[in-house]
Amino acid sequence: MADARIGVKGTGDASAEGGVVFVNTGAVTGDVNLHAPRTAVSGYLLQVERTAAADFRGREAELSELASFGTEARSPGVSEKNYWRWLAPAWAGKSALLAEFVLNPPPGIDVVAFFITSRMAGQNDAAAFCEVVQRQLYALLREEEPLSTPHTRDEQMRLALDRAAERSAAEGRRLVLVVDGLDEDHGVTAGPDCHSIAALLPRTP
């Protein structure tokens, strides 16, 4: 192996901006490989379209209530006014209503959603909720989604939710999380192995 000696003098300062940069004020031998971050992209709205009514009509009053809830000013620390539980009999059109809201949100609102259902594979437990919601959140953050494990997924999703809410607020917008079908959550069981989606929601949004 050849002995290569390189001397440098007066290289000065260096600075750079951007998503992927390499700054060096000395000498580098060999290859330099930079990994360009891949911004997360979510296709979940395509799945929401399968839940939406083919010909949604009426219900303007309910949509107006949802829009008001998502945009009205609130006092800091008043958590009970930051959740809205929508109850109605079976086949009342709850999912269709929320799907319409998610697909056509009011101005100034960033929507992240999860529709709990047994009609689609792997869409009815906490693991699916964390994975699907986290992908949407990182798409909003315009960042690469980090890898997660069953041991870190809950905390990573909560952190992404907090960061996305802060970003929306900094941009003069509001983040709204829509969860439909909590009664279909397969993680709601008796005993120590109960891991429900509702338990993952922040105490104070």
Side-chain angles (χ1 to χ4, degrees):
M1 181 175 180
D3 182 15
R5 297 182 179 180
I6 301 175
V8 293
K9 294 181 180 181
T11 57
D13 298 329
S15 63
E17 296 180 359
V20 180
V21 297
F22 175 73
V23 178
N24 179 55
T25 60
V28 177
T29 60
D31 297 332
V32 176
N33 298 313
L34 301 180
H35 167 64
R38 293 176 293 182
T39 302
V41 177
S42 172
Y44 190 67
L45 288 182
L46 296 176
Q47 185 160 303
V48 177
E49 290 177 354
R50 299 173 60 185
T51 303
D55 185 19
F56 188 90
R57 297 183 182 182
R59 309 190 73 168
E60 286 82 4
E62 293 162 296
L63 288 172
S64 178
E65 288 184 73
L66 288 170
S68 297
F69 174 77
T71 57
E72 66 183 6
R74 291 175 174 79
S75 301
V78 184
S79 60
E80 63 268 18
K81 293 185 177 180
N82 291 330
Y83 277 112
W84 189 0
R85 186 175 61 167
W86 196 287
L87 300 175
W91 305 108
K94 301 183 296 295
S95 295
L97 175 67
L98 291 177
E100 179 68 16
F101 177 80
V102 170
L103 294 172
N104 300 284
I109 287 182
D110 296 321
V111 177
V112 171
F114 186 71
F115 286 75
I116 308 168
T117 177
S118 298
R119 297 191 301 274
M120 300 179 188
Q123 297 294 310
N124 57 10
D125 59 21
F129 171 80
C130 285
E131 183 173 340
V132 170
V133 169
Q134 180 172 288
R135 179 72 51 81
Q136 295 175 73
L137 292 170
Y138 273 95
L140 279 175
L141 290 168
R142 298 186 282 277
E143 296 178 5
E144 183 174 11
E145 181 182 5
L147 296 176
S148 62
T149 71
H151 308 291
T152 62
R153 71 183 185 211
D154 295 4
E155 64 190 58
Q156 286 191 179
M157 188 279 299
R158 290 191 181 104
L159 176 60
L161 187 61
D162 285 346
R163 292 185 59 225
E166 291 173 357
R167 178 163 189 154
S168 293
E171 296 176 350
R173 303 174 61 81
R174 177 169 287 162
L175 179 66
V176 174
L177 173 63
V178 175
V179 183
D180 177 68
L182 284 172
D183 57 318
E184 296 189 52
D185 182 2
H186 279 205
V188 180
T189 59
D193 294 327
C194 175
H195 303 289
S196 69
I197 292 172
L200 293 171
L201 302 178
R203 292 183 179 180
T204 305

